[in-house]
Amino acid sequence: QVQLVESGGGLVQAGGSLRLSCVVSGRTFSRRPMGWFRQAPGKEREFVAAISWMDVNTYYTDSVKGRFTISRDNAKNTLYLQMNSLKPEDTAVYYCAAGRAMSSSDYPAEGPYDYWGQGTQVTVSS
């Protein structure tokens, strides 16, 4: 069984930074593509960023390009999301997810992700 535990969320002023972490249990982390999603109050959950299992390819939604960086440390079974220049519209619960083998076009979709964390709250004040 794969379990994911996020941390690093909190309250930050606009323009500030946060670094989210997601520790993954299980021996298959290094072979799984990983993603970050978020859900703002009253909105559907949306894709934020993803990274392939070999750390070769990264994907971002347009609204975070240039501000967020996804990375992974396979030796530590940990996924990261460095968030800079935060905006109030980034306020949401952030979830990490572990996927199965997928094509590049599948990364933004929720379906190919088998396991999800419980989420961590990020609040950006104006």
Side-chain angles (χ1 to χ4, degrees):
Q1 185 73 2
V2 177
Q3 292 184 322
L4 292 76
V5 179
E6 303 99 333
S7 63
L11 173 64
V12 64
Q13 287 188 330
S17 298
L18 283 174
R19 188 196 196 198
L20 304 185
S21 299
C22 173
V23 177
V24 182
S25 66
R27 295 175 292 176
T28 63
F29 173 77
S30 63
R31 298 193 297 274
R32 289 184 177 273
M34 298 292 298
W36 286 99
F37 292 76
R38 66 186 179 187
Q39 187 168 22
K43 294 188 177 181
E44 304 251 331
R45 189 159 58 186
E46 65 173 356
F47 169 76
V48 176
I51 187 167
S52 61
W53 69 279
M54 283 292 289
D55 197 10
V56 172
N57 299 311
T58 56
Y59 308 86
Y60 298 93
T61 192
D62 287 345
S63 63
V64 308
K65 285 180 181 176
R67 300 188 298 121
F68 291 11
T69 303
I70 188 171
S71 62
R72 65 191 298 161
D73 185 337
N74 288 340
K76 295 182 178 179
N77 274 24
T78 303
L79 177 73
Y80 302 101
L81 185 68
Q82 178 66 43
M83 306 186 295
N84 299 328
S85 302
L86 283 161
K87 303 176 181 180
E89 50 263 44
D90 294 318
T91 294
V93 177
Y94 283 71
Y95 300 89
C96 66
R100 68 186 87 102
M102 62 182 83
S103 64
S104 58
S105 61
D106 291 334
Y107 277 88
E110 294 190 24
Y113 294 88
D114 298 320
Y115 301 96
W116 294 80
Q118 82 289 347
T120 186
Q121 176 71 47
V122 172
T123 303
V124 185
S125 63
S126 57

